[in-house]
Amino acid sequence: MLLVRGMLSGVVAGLLALVFARIFGEPAVGNAISFESALDAAKGDAPEPELVSRAIQSSFGLATGVLVYAIAFGGLFALAFAFAYGRVGRLTPRATAAVVALGGFLVAFVVPFLKYPANPPSIGNPDTIGERTATYFVMVVLSIAIAVGATYLGRRLLPRLGGWNATLVAIAAFIAVAAIAAFLLPAINEVPTGFPAAVLWNFRVASLGTQLVMWTTIGLLFGALVHRPLTQRAALLAATAH
């Protein structure tokens, strides 16, 4: 039940994120490609042949990538919700979904984004794409692992410090360890000299906004879909126990 609702939420979230990315992200990508083409022309390099046309990339390619990504994250979100529900205090299903969505957005995207911010596809050396992808996913995995550890620490400190103080200590521990992990990972900056700062800024803001739209939609919609059945089930179990 939860997995289906999570993937359904991912479909809707993907559609909304696609609209956002198409409106706000694609213009920056187009400007970045134009800059790269002008740079190659200034060097006298012949433009590389397109394996996939720009029209397909910005329409079908973008839609496929965003939807597959959102559906997969919707399923993972459902699993995370199933683990968190009933373990993060006496929260309703809607509130639990909102907390999981906020935590997922911050831990799985914002923290890695601060170390390795998104760049337009045209930026970067093709020979280092494997290294760049690997280091980014290492940062994502480390961020998630540190968040799990901080959550465990908060639960252990709860009886001694109380809910508020235990939460603050857990958050501080997460920030400190995540900062150390980010510092130890290699820095990668392949933005070419002279690249328009406004284009880079707009693309990164659009990337952040696309993720925010996706996570917000999944959290709110999934919470709405599971609130009633889970609440009714809890009430039935409570009535049966009495």
Side-chain angles (χ1 to χ4, degrees):
M1 178 189 77
L2 294 180
L3 185 60
V4 173
R5 285 171 168 79
M7 296 180 72
L8 178 61
S9 300
V11 171
V12 178
L15 292 173
L16 294 179
L18 174 62
V19 173
F20 185 93
R22 189 70 179 85
I23 295 174
F24 297 100
E26 277 302 307
V29 174
N31 291 334
I33 293 175
S34 298
F35 174 84
E36 182 187 35
S37 299
L39 196 62
D40 290 339
K43 294 178 181 178
D45 297 335
E48 296 182 3
E50 289 185 337
L51 298 178
V52 181
S53 69
R54 176 68 186 135
I56 295 179
Q57 292 178 24
S58 61
S59 55
F60 181 76
L62 177 65
T64 301
V66 171
L67 287 175
V68 170
Y69 180 83
I71 293 171
F73 262 80
L76 293 174
F77 181 88
L79 298 178
F81 174 88
F83 176 80
Y85 185 52
R87 293 183 176 91
V88 290
R90 299 177 178 273
L91 298 180
T92 65
R94 276 198 181 100
T96 302
V99 169
V100 172
L102 177 61
F105 174 67
L106 294 175
V107 171
F109 180 76
V110 173
V111 171
F113 182 89
L114 293 175
K115 174 62 179 180
Y116 299 116
N119 289 327
S122 61
I123 289 181
N125 184 351
D127 296 334
T128 64
I129 188 171
E131 177 187 355
R132 286 183 280 129
T133 303
T135 51
Y136 177 79
F137 278 106
V138 167
M139 187 64 214
V140 173
V141 172
L142 286 176
S143 180
I144 294 173
I146 295 168
V148 172
T151 302
Y152 177 76
L153 175 65
R155 288 175 61 85
R156 290 294 300 270
L157 295 177
L158 184 61
R160 285 189 292 170
L161 301 182
W164 179 254
N165 290 331
T167 300
L168 291 179
V169 171
I171 293 175
F174 171 79
I175 294 174
V177 178
I180 293 172
F183 176 77
L184 294 176
L185 286 173
I188 299 176
N189 181 18
E190 296 187 346
V191 178
T193 302
F195 189 86
V199 174
L200 186 61
W201 171 259
N202 290 337
F203 180 82
R204 289 177 174 176
V205 170
S207 298
L208 190 64
T210 301
Q211 288 285 329
L212 181 59
V213 169
M214 187 190 75
W215 282 100
T216 301
T217 303
I218 290 178
L220 295 179
L221 182 56
F222 182 85
L225 291 175
V226 302
H227 181 80
R228 184 173 180 178
L230 289 181
T231 302
Q232 290 177 342
R233 179 183 177 186
L236 181 61
L237 291 175
T240 304
H242 292 294

PDB file of all heavy atoms in Angstrom, residues 103-127:
ATOM      1  N   GLY A 103      13.497  16.253   5.885  1.00  0.00           N
ATOM      2  CA  GLY A 103      14.787  15.631   6.160  1.00  0.00           C
ATOM      3  C   GLY A 103      15.447  15.085   4.906  1.00  0.00           C
ATOM      4  O   GLY A 103      16.654  15.236   4.704  1.00  0.00           O
ATOM      5  N   GLY A 104      14.652  14.450   4.044  1.00  0.00           N
ATOM      6  CA  GLY A 104      15.201  13.911   2.802  1.00  0.00           C
ATOM      7  C   GLY A 104      15.746  15.006   1.903  1.00  0.00           C
ATOM      8  O   GLY A 104      16.822  14.853   1.303  1.00  0.00           O
ATOM      9  N   PHE A 105      15.015  16.105   1.788  1.00  0.00           N
ATOM     10  CA  PHE A 105      15.455  17.217   0.957  1.00  0.00           C
ATOM     11  C   PHE A 105      16.777  17.792   1.465  1.00  0.00           C
ATOM     12  O   PHE A 105      17.710  18.034   0.682  1.00  0.00           O
ATOM     13  CB  PHE A 105      14.376  18.297   0.938  1.00  0.00           C
ATOM     14  CG  PHE A 105      14.782  19.562   0.227  1.00  0.00           C
ATOM     15  CD1 PHE A 105      15.002  19.567  -1.140  1.00  0.00           C
ATOM     16  CD2 PHE A 105      14.934  20.749   0.923  1.00  0.00           C
ATOM     17  CE1 PHE A 105      15.383  20.731  -1.799  1.00  0.00           C
ATOM     18  CE2 PHE A 105      15.307  21.920   0.272  1.00  0.00           C
ATOM     19  CZ  PHE A 105      15.530  21.906  -1.089  1.00  0.00           C
ATOM     20  N   LEU A 106      16.871  17.983   2.772  1.00  0.00           N
ATOM     21  CA  LEU A 106      18.081  18.569   3.343  1.00  0.00           C
ATOM     22  C   LEU A 106      19.268  17.607   3.289  1.00  0.00           C
ATOM     23  O   LEU A 106      20.373  17.986   2.895  1.00  0.00           O
ATOM     24  CB  LEU A 106      17.825  18.996   4.796  1.00  0.00           C
ATOM     25  CG  LEU A 106      16.816  20.131   4.998  1.00  0.00           C
ATOM     26  CD1 LEU A 106      16.577  20.360   6.487  1.00  0.00           C
ATOM     27  CD2 LEU A 106      17.295  21.411   4.334  1.00  0.00           C
ATOM     28  N   VAL A 107      19.007  16.354   3.678  1.00  0.00           N
ATOM     29  CA  VAL A 107      20.105  15.386   3.815  1.00  0.00           C
ATOM     30  C   VAL A 107      20.556  14.843   2.463  1.00  0.00           C
ATOM     31  O   VAL A 107      21.756  14.757   2.186  1.00  0.00           O
ATOM     32  CB  VAL A 107      19.682  14.235   4.752  1.00  0.00           C
ATOM     33  CG1 VAL A 107      20.711  13.108   4.727  1.00  0.00           C
ATOM     34  CG2 VAL A 107      19.488  14.757   6.168  1.00  0.00           C
ATOM     35  N   ALA A 108      19.594  14.455   1.623  1.00  0.00           N
ATOM     36  CA  ALA A 108      19.944  13.790   0.369  1.00  0.00           C
ATOM     37  C   ALA A 108      20.261  14.757  -0.760  1.00  0.00           C
ATOM     38  O   ALA A 108      20.847  14.352  -1.774  1.00  0.00           O
ATOM     39  CB  ALA A 108      18.808  12.861  -0.061  1.00  0.00           C
ATOM     40  N   PHE A 109      19.881  16.032  -0.596  1.00  0.00           N
ATOM     41  CA  PHE A 109      20.161  16.968  -1.700  1.00  0.00           C
ATOM     42  C   PHE A 109      20.914  18.222  -1.256  1.00  0.00           C
ATOM     43  O   PHE A 109      21.973  18.529  -1.799  1.00  0.00           O
ATOM     44  CB  PHE A 109      18.868  17.382  -2.394  1.00  0.00           C
ATOM     45  CG  PHE A 109      19.111  18.341  -3.539  1.00  0.00           C
ATOM     46  CD1 PHE A 109      19.619  17.870  -4.743  1.00  0.00           C
ATOM     47  CD2 PHE A 109      18.883  19.696  -3.407  1.00  0.00           C
ATOM     48  CE1 PHE A 109      19.884  18.740  -5.789  1.00  0.00           C
ATOM     49  CE2 PHE A 109      19.144  20.581  -4.442  1.00  0.00           C
ATOM     50  CZ  PHE A 109      19.637  20.095  -5.647  1.00  0.00           C
ATOM     51  N   VAL A 110      20.391  18.949  -0.264  1.00  0.00           N
ATOM     52  CA  VAL A 110      20.986  20.246   0.080  1.00  0.00           C
ATOM     53  C   VAL A 110      22.415  20.096   0.582  1.00  0.00           C
ATOM     54  O   VAL A 110      23.313  20.836   0.142  1.00  0.00           O
ATOM     55  CB  VAL A 110      20.109  20.975   1.123  1.00  0.00           C
ATOM     56  CG1 VAL A 110      20.821  22.241   1.608  1.00  0.00           C
ATOM     57  CG2 VAL A 110      18.755  21.331   0.529  1.00  0.00           C
ATOM     58  N   VAL A 111      22.655  19.157   1.491  1.00  0.00           N
ATOM     59  CA  VAL A 111      24.009  18.998   2.040  1.00  0.00           C
ATOM     60  C   VAL A 111      25.009  18.606   0.944  1.00  0.00           C
ATOM     61  O   VAL A 111      26.063  19.246   0.811  1.00  0.00           O
ATOM     62  CB  VAL A 111      24.009  17.986   3.198  1.00  0.00           C
ATOM     63  CG1 VAL A 111      25.435  17.650   3.625  1.00  0.00           C
ATOM     64  CG2 VAL A 111      23.235  18.549   4.386  1.00  0.00           C
ATOM     65  N   PRO A 112      24.721  17.585   0.106  1.00  0.00           N
ATOM     66  CA  PRO A 112      25.644  17.312  -1.009  1.00  0.00           C
ATOM     67  C   PRO A 112      25.756  18.484  -1.995  1.00  0.00           C
ATOM     68  O   PRO A 112      26.817  18.721  -2.574  1.00  0.00           O
ATOM     69  CB  PRO A 112      25.031  16.073  -1.681  1.00  0.00           C
ATOM     70  CG  PRO A 112      24.238  15.417  -0.609  1.00  0.00           C
ATOM     71  CD  PRO A 112      23.683  16.544   0.205  1.00  0.00           C
ATOM     72  N   PHE A 113      24.659  19.214  -2.170  1.00  0.00           N
ATOM     73  CA  PHE A 113      24.645  20.359  -3.084  1.00  0.00           C
ATOM     74  C   PHE A 113      25.610  21.445  -2.608  1.00  0.00           C
ATOM     75  O   PHE A 113      26.236  22.137  -3.424  1.00  0.00           O
ATOM     76  CB  PHE A 113      23.220  20.910  -3.170  1.00  0.00           C
ATOM     77  CG  PHE A 113      23.047  22.066  -4.117  1.00  0.00           C
ATOM     78  CD1 PHE A 113      22.744  21.849  -5.449  1.00  0.00           C
ATOM     79  CD2 PHE A 113      23.162  23.372  -3.673  1.00  0.00           C
ATOM     80  CE1 PHE A 113      22.580  22.915  -6.326  1.00  0.00           C
ATOM     81  CE2 PHE A 113      22.993  24.441  -4.532  1.00  0.00           C
ATOM     82  CZ  PHE A 113      22.708  24.213  -5.863  1.00  0.00           C
ATOM     83  N   LEU A 114      25.721  21.611  -1.288  1.00  0.00           N
ATOM     84  CA  LEU A 114      26.631  22.633  -0.766  1.00  0.00           C
ATOM     85  C   LEU A 114      28.084  22.301  -1.085  1.00  0.00           C
ATOM     86  O   LEU A 114      28.911  23.200  -1.266  1.00  0.00           O
ATOM     87  CB  LEU A 114      26.445  22.763   0.753  1.00  0.00           C
ATOM     88  CG  LEU A 114      25.094  23.327   1.212  1.00  0.00           C
ATOM     89  CD1 LEU A 114      24.991  23.294   2.726  1.00  0.00           C
ATOM     90  CD2 LEU A 114      24.892  24.742   0.689  1.00  0.00           C
ATOM     91  N   LYS A 115      28.409  21.012  -1.138  1.00  0.00           N
ATOM     92  CA  LYS A 115      29.775  20.597  -1.485  1.00  0.00           C
ATOM     93  C   LYS A 115      29.968  20.552  -2.993  1.00  0.00           C
ATOM     94  O   LYS A 115      30.993  21.013  -3.512  1.00  0.00           O
ATOM     95  CB  LYS A 115      30.052  19.218  -0.874  1.00  0.00           C
ATOM     96  CG  LYS A 115      31.396  18.618  -1.280  1.00  0.00           C
ATOM     97  CD  LYS A 115      32.569  19.460  -0.815  1.00  0.00           C
ATOM     98  CE  LYS A 115      33.892  18.823  -1.209  1.00  0.00           C
ATOM     99  NZ  LYS A 115      35.057  19.613  -0.782  1.00  0.00           N
ATOM    100  N   TYR A 116      29.007  19.981  -3.684  1.00  0.00           N
ATOM    101  CA  TYR A 116      29.102  19.832  -5.137  1.00  0.00           C
ATOM    102  C   TYR A 116      27.853  20.433  -5.782  1.00  0.00           C
ATOM    103  O   TYR A 116      26.925  19.706  -6.143  1.00  0.00           O
ATOM    104  CB  TYR A 116      29.244  18.366  -5.524  1.00  0.00           C
ATOM    105  CG  TYR A 116      30.478  17.699  -4.963  1.00  0.00           C
ATOM    106  CD1 TYR A 116      30.370  16.652  -4.057  1.00  0.00           C
ATOM    107  CD2 TYR A 116      31.747  18.118  -5.339  1.00  0.00           C
ATOM    108  CE1 TYR A 116      31.502  16.035  -3.538  1.00  0.00           C
ATOM    109  CE2 TYR A 116      32.883  17.510  -4.828  1.00  0.00           C
ATOM    110  CZ  TYR A 116      32.758  16.473  -3.926  1.00  0.00           C
ATOM    111  OH  TYR A 116      33.875  15.863  -3.419  1.00  0.00           O
ATOM    112  N   PRO A 117      27.806  21.766  -5.928  1.00  0.00           N
ATOM    113  CA  PRO A 117      26.623  22.395  -6.533  1.00  0.00           C
ATOM    114  C   PRO A 117      26.462  21.984  -7.986  1.00  0.00           C
ATOM    115  O   PRO A 117      27.430  21.656  -8.676  1.00  0.00           O
ATOM    116  CB  PRO A 117      26.915  23.893  -6.397  1.00  0.00           C
ATOM    117  CG  PRO A 117      28.398  23.986  -6.261  1.00  0.00           C
ATOM    118  CD  PRO A 117      28.830  22.746  -5.545  1.00  0.00           C
ATOM    119  N   ALA A 118      25.210  22.006  -8.438  1.00  0.00           N
ATOM    120  CA  ALA A 118      24.909  21.570  -9.800  1.00  0.00           C
ATOM    121  C   ALA A 118      25.485  22.534 -10.822  1.00  0.00           C
ATOM    122  O   ALA A 118      25.503  23.751 -10.620  1.00  0.00           O
ATOM    123  CB  ALA A 118      23.400  21.466  -9.980  1.00  0.00           C
ATOM    124  N   ASN A 119      25.968  21.973 -11.917  1.00  0.00           N
ATOM    125  CA  ASN A 119      26.456  22.764 -13.042  1.00  0.00           C
ATOM    126  C   ASN A 119      25.685  22.382 -14.300  1.00  0.00           C
ATOM    127  O   ASN A 119      25.229  21.236 -14.423  1.00  0.00           O
ATOM    128  CB  ASN A 119      27.951  22.504 -13.286  1.00  0.00           C
ATOM    129  CG  ASN A 119      28.813  23.098 -12.192  1.00  0.00           C
ATOM    130  OD1 ASN A 119      28.484  24.137 -11.614  1.00  0.00           O
ATOM    131  ND2 ASN A 119      29.926  22.442 -11.901  1.00  0.00           N
ATOM    132  N   PRO A 120      25.545  23.298 -15.254  1.00  0.00           N
ATOM    133  CA  PRO A 120      24.905  22.946 -16.527  1.00  0.00           C
ATOM    134  C   PRO A 120      25.630  21.780 -17.196  1.00  0.00           C
ATOM    135  O   PRO A 120      26.839  21.614 -17.024  1.00  0.00           O
ATOM    136  CB  PRO A 120      25.025  24.230 -17.352  1.00  0.00           C
ATOM    137  CG  PRO A 120      25.154  25.319 -16.339  1.00  0.00           C
ATOM    138  CD  PRO A 120      25.919  24.728 -15.200  1.00  0.00           C
ATOM    139  N   PRO A 121      24.918  20.957 -17.949  1.00  0.00           N
ATOM    140  CA  PRO A 121      25.528  19.772 -18.573  1.00  0.00           C
ATOM    141  C   PRO A 121      26.726  20.080 -19.454  1.00  0.00           C
ATOM    142  O   PRO A 121      27.605  19.237 -19.632  1.00  0.00           O
ATOM    143  CB  PRO A 121      24.374  19.189 -19.404  1.00  0.00           C
ATOM    144  CG  PRO A 121      23.139  19.728 -18.800  1.00  0.00           C
ATOM    145  CD  PRO A 121      23.483  21.061 -18.227  1.00  0.00           C
ATOM    146  N   SER A 122      26.788  21.269 -20.030  1.00  0.00           N
ATOM    147  CA  SER A 122      27.880  21.595 -20.943  1.00  0.00           C
ATOM    148  C   SER A 122      29.184  21.909 -20.219  1.00  0.00           C
ATOM    149  O   SER A 122      30.245  21.971 -20.839  1.00  0.00           O
ATOM    150  CB  SER A 122      27.489  22.803 -21.806  1.00  0.00           C
ATOM    151  OG  SER A 122      27.235  23.932 -20.985  1.00  0.00           O
ATOM    152  N   ILE A 123      29.115  22.112 -18.889  1.00  0.00           N
ATOM    153  CA  ILE A 123      30.312  22.440 -18.121  1.00  0.00           C
ATOM    154  C   ILE A 123      30.994  21.152 -17.674  1.00  0.00           C
ATOM    155  O   ILE A 123      30.350  20.203 -17.260  1.00  0.00           O
ATOM    156  CB  ILE A 123      29.943  23.305 -16.886  1.00  0.00           C
ATOM    157  CG1 ILE A 123      29.529  24.702 -17.334  1.00  0.00           C
ATOM    158  CG2 ILE A 123      31.113  23.405 -15.925  1.00  0.00           C
ATOM    159  CD1 ILE A 123      29.184  25.612 -16.198  1.00  0.00           C
ATOM    160  N   GLY A 124      32.302  21.142 -17.707  1.00  0.00           N
ATOM    161  CA  GLY A 124      33.038  20.012 -17.174  1.00  0.00           C
ATOM    162  C   GLY A 124      33.764  19.226 -18.248  1.00  0.00           C
ATOM    163  O   GLY A 124      33.361  19.191 -19.414  1.00  0.00           O
ATOM    164  N   ASN A 125      34.827  18.587 -17.814  1.00  0.00           N
ATOM    165  CA  ASN A 125      35.619  17.752 -18.709  1.00  0.00           C
ATOM    166  C   ASN A 125      34.955  16.388 -18.837  1.00  0.00           C
ATOM    167  O   ASN A 125      34.723  15.714 -17.836  1.00  0.00           O
ATOM    168  CB  ASN A 125      37.029  17.599 -18.125  1.00  0.00           C
ATOM    169  CG  ASN A 125      37.954  16.829 -19.044  1.00  0.00           C
ATOM    170  OD1 ASN A 125      37.525  16.253 -20.050  1.00  0.00           O
ATOM    171  ND2 ASN A 125      39.228  16.818 -18.708  1.00  0.00           N
ATOM    172  N   PRO A 126      34.629  15.944 -20.065  1.00  0.00           N
ATOM    173  CA  PRO A 126      33.991  14.632 -20.229  1.00  0.00           C
ATOM    174  C   PRO A 126      34.819  13.488 -19.647  1.00  0.00           C
ATOM    175  O   PRO A 126      34.274  12.465 -19.240  1.00  0.00           O
ATOM    176  CB  PRO A 126      33.840  14.492 -21.746  1.00  0.00           C
ATOM    177  CG  PRO A 126      33.875  15.894 -22.263  1.00  0.00           C
ATOM    178  CD  PRO A 126      34.782  16.640 -21.350  1.00  0.00           C
ATOM    179  N   ASP A 127      36.140  13.662 -19.572  1.00  0.00           N
ATOM    180  CA  ASP A 127      37.001  12.595 -19.071  1.00  0.00           C
ATOM    181  C   ASP A 127      36.881  12.408 -17.558  1.00  0.00           C
ATOM    182  O   ASP A 127      37.302  11.377 -17.019  1.00  0.00           O
ATOM    183  CB  ASP A 127      38.467  12.884 -19.422  1.00  0.00           C
ATOM    184  CG  ASP A 127      38.707  12.894 -20.932  1.00  0.00           C
ATOM    185  OD1 ASP A 127      37.927  12.219 -21.644  1.00  0.00           O
ATOM    186  OD2 ASP A 127      39.646  13.579 -21.379  1.00  0.00           O
TER     187      ASP A 127
END
